[in-house]
Amino acid sequence: MDPNTDDKTRAQQRLLELRDSIDNIDASLIHLLAERFKLTEKVGELKADHGLPPADESREARQVARLRVLAEESHLDPEFAEKFLAFTVAEVIRRHERIAESRER
């Protein structure tokens, strides 16, 4: 048997194993994001009920700093972590605005 074929077969098997692990992590991320958004919906409702603004710039700044440190400690690009947080926070604020608007009607 050709040794290159054995190497390819092992490489393909390892690729499948790695992709299975990635798929599991992706599923976990989706579940975690869903839980996060359930909590931020409650925050949005609380803010709307008490006339608080949808955005909290000082908290966002603290979160950026905190997540940049966590990213560095985890050997993840802090710029990526910040972009991910910015994307998430923008969606949270959009939802908070929608909740506030629905309370005003």
Side-chain angles (χ1 to χ4, degrees):
M1 183 177 258
D2 181 5
N4 289 334
T5 302
D6 285 346
D7 286 346
K8 266 189 178 175
T9 301
R10 281 193 294 275
Q12 288 173 334
Q13 181 59 38
R14 182 66 180 141
L15 183 61
L16 290 174
E17 292 167 0
L18 291 168
R19 287 180 173 164
D20 283 346
S21 293
I22 290 168
D23 291 349
N24 288 337
I25 291 169
D26 287 346
S28 295
L29 287 170
I30 293 300
H31 291 297
L32 286 171
L33 281 171
E35 288 302 311
R36 187 186 197 286
F37 277 98
K38 286 177 190 174
L39 293 170
T40 60
E41 288 288 314
K42 291 178 183 182
V43 168
E45 292 167 358
L46 187 62
K47 286 180 173 184
D49 290 344
H50 296 280
L52 299 169
D56 183 342
E57 292 178 16
S58 65
R59 170 155 169 78
E60 291 166 30
R62 289 190 310 272
Q63 285 294 89
V64 166
R66 185 177 78 83
L67 290 182
R68 286 185 70 88
V69 169
L70 289 172
E72 288 175 7
E73 291 172 351
S74 300
H75 306 287
L76 179 67
D77 180 3
E79 291 294 318
F80 171 78
E82 187 171 343
K83 288 176 186 176
F84 180 78
L85 179 64
F87 175 80
T88 303
V89 168
E91 178 62 17
V92 167
I93 291 169
R94 187 185 70 74
R95 290 174 180 220
H96 287 186
E97 290 169 343
R98 190 180 62 216
I99 292 168
E101 289 170 4
S102 73
R103 297 285 206 276
E104 292 171 356
R105 295 179 198 167

